[in-house]
Amino acid sequence: LRVLFATETFSTGLNMPARTVVFTNVRKFDGGSSRWVTSGEYIQMSGRAGRRGIDDRGIVILMLDTKIEPAIAREMIKGAPDAMNSAFHLQYSMILNLMRVEGANPAALVQQSFRQFQAERSLPKLEARVLELQQQRDAAEVEDQDQVLGYQVLLGQLAAANAELRNVLHSPHALVPFLNPGRLVCMLPELPDPKNPVPDFEQVPSLQPADGAGPEEAASSGAVGAVCPGIWGAIVDFQRIGKKGGDG
C-alpha cells in the first residue's frame, strides 16, 4: 500500500508501521464535541512512523489549518501518554471454565495478571496514604470532647427511649381505645432527622411561644409544636375490623 487513510483506531489496534504519518487535522470529533487531539492519541499514531529494519527514521507531518496555542501544542507533542489500566475481572463463569481444564490454577492466573501487577505496584502508595490518614486522625483535636461524647450518649439513649415509647403507643391495646371520631391526632409524614447539630449547652430550651405570636405560631413553636413537629388533624370516622375481643 502506498497511501492509507485511517483513524487512530487503526494505529491502536494493528501493528502497521509506515514510513510517514500525516495528521490532516489536529482536532477531532469524539461524538459529543470537537476537541484537540490528546497526547496519548498523538503518541500512538505518530509512533507508527518508521519501519523497523527498513527506515533509519520516521517522518511525522502535522498539518495545521487553525491557530493553536503553544501550551496546547507542547502538551500534545510532549505530553504524557494515556494511563493503561487493567480491565481484568475474575468472574464465576471464568472460574468454572478453568476448573474444567485439567491442571488449571485460578490463583496462579490472577497472580500473573496485569491487574495484580498494578495492585502490587500501587501498594506502597496506599500504605503511605493510610499512614498519613492515621497520623491526621491521631493529631485531630475535638473541642469540648467530653461534652460531645456525653451528648452522643444522650442522643443514643433518647433514640432508644423514643423507639420504645413508639412501640408501646402503637400497640393495639394502647391505640385502639383512643381512635374515636373527633380525636385530635398528629400526622408525621416523615421522621425527624436524627443528625441534629451539637446544641449550645449554656442555653436552656424553652417551650413557651415567642412574644406576639398568634395561635398558629404558638402551636408550632410552643409545647404542642415541641411534642409533635408534624401536621395536626382530627379523626372523622374509625371502624374496627376483627373478632370481638381481639386486638383489632
Side-chain angles (χ1 to χ4, degrees):
L1 298 177
R2 302 296 297 273
V3 179
L4 177 63
F5 293 88
T7 62
E8 74 274 5
T9 306
F10 180 82
S11 62
T12 304
L14 297 177
N15 184 15
M16 188 71 176
R19 181 180 180 181
T20 305
V21 174
V22 180
F23 290 84
T24 58
N25 198 347
V26 291
R27 299 184 67 88
K28 63 169 293 185
F29 183 75
D30 58 0
S33 61
S34 179
R35 59 171 177 81
W36 299 104
V37 175
T38 63
S39 60
E41 295 170 343
Y42 179 83
I43 292 173
Q44 186 68 37
M45 290 185 283
S46 62
R48 299 300 182 183
R51 297 166 295 180
R52 181 178 300 179
I54 300 177
D55 302 324
D56 295 334
R57 66 182 63 182
I59 301 175
V60 179
I61 301 176
L62 184 61
M63 301 174 59
L64 298 177
D65 56 356
T66 183
K67 183 179 179 180
I68 181 173
E69 297 295 334
I72 299 177
R74 187 182 308 108
E75 177 65 23
M76 182 189 305
I77 298 175
K78 295 186 177 182
D82 296 335
M84 182 179 298
N85 297 318
S86 174
F88 175 77
H89 295 283
L90 189 62
Q91 300 178 353
Y92 291 109
S93 60
M94 183 182 301
I95 298 177
L96 293 176
N97 292 331
L98 288 175
M99 297 300 295
R100 297 172 59 184
V101 179
E102 185 178 357
N105 188 357
L109 176 64
V110 175
Q111 189 67 27
Q112 298 175 0
S113 64
F114 182 62
R115 186 180 183 87
Q116 182 67 20
F117 169 77
Q118 287 185 319
E120 293 178 354
R121 187 178 60 177
S122 61
L123 185 60
K125 294 182 180 180
L126 294 177
E127 292 177 347
R129 179 59 178 169
V130 170
L131 181 61
E132 180 182 358
L133 293 177
Q134 290 177 349
Q135 293 176 353
Q136 294 179 1
R137 179 201 61 188
D138 298 337
E141 296 182 358
V142 179
E143 186 178 357
D144 299 331
Q145 183 175 1
D146 295 337
Q147 292 183 347
V148 173
L149 292 177
Y151 176 71
Q152 185 67 27
V153 173
L154 291 177
L155 279 182
Q157 295 176 356
L158 179 61
N162 287 335
E164 184 177 357
L165 177 61
R166 192 179 185 88
N167 292 333
V168 173
L169 294 178
H170 286 188
S171 62
H173 293 286
L175 184 63
V176 171
F178 294 93
L179 294 180
N180 302 320
R183 172 71 65 177
L184 187 66
V185 295
C186 178
M187 309 292 293
L188 288 176
E190 58 183 13
L191 296 177
D193 187 7
K195 298 180 180 179
N196 297 324
V198 179
D200 186 2
F201 296 99
E202 302 297 334
Q203 182 180 1
V204 180
S206 177
L207 298 179
Q208 298 298 327
D211 296 337
E216 297 181 357
E217 290 81 0
S220 61
S221 61
V224 177
V227 173
C228 178
I231 302 174
W232 287 93
I235 298 178
V236 177
D237 188 14
F238 172 75
Q239 295 182 1
R240 182 171 181 176
I241 301 176
K243 296 182 180 180
K244 185 176 180 180
D247 292 340

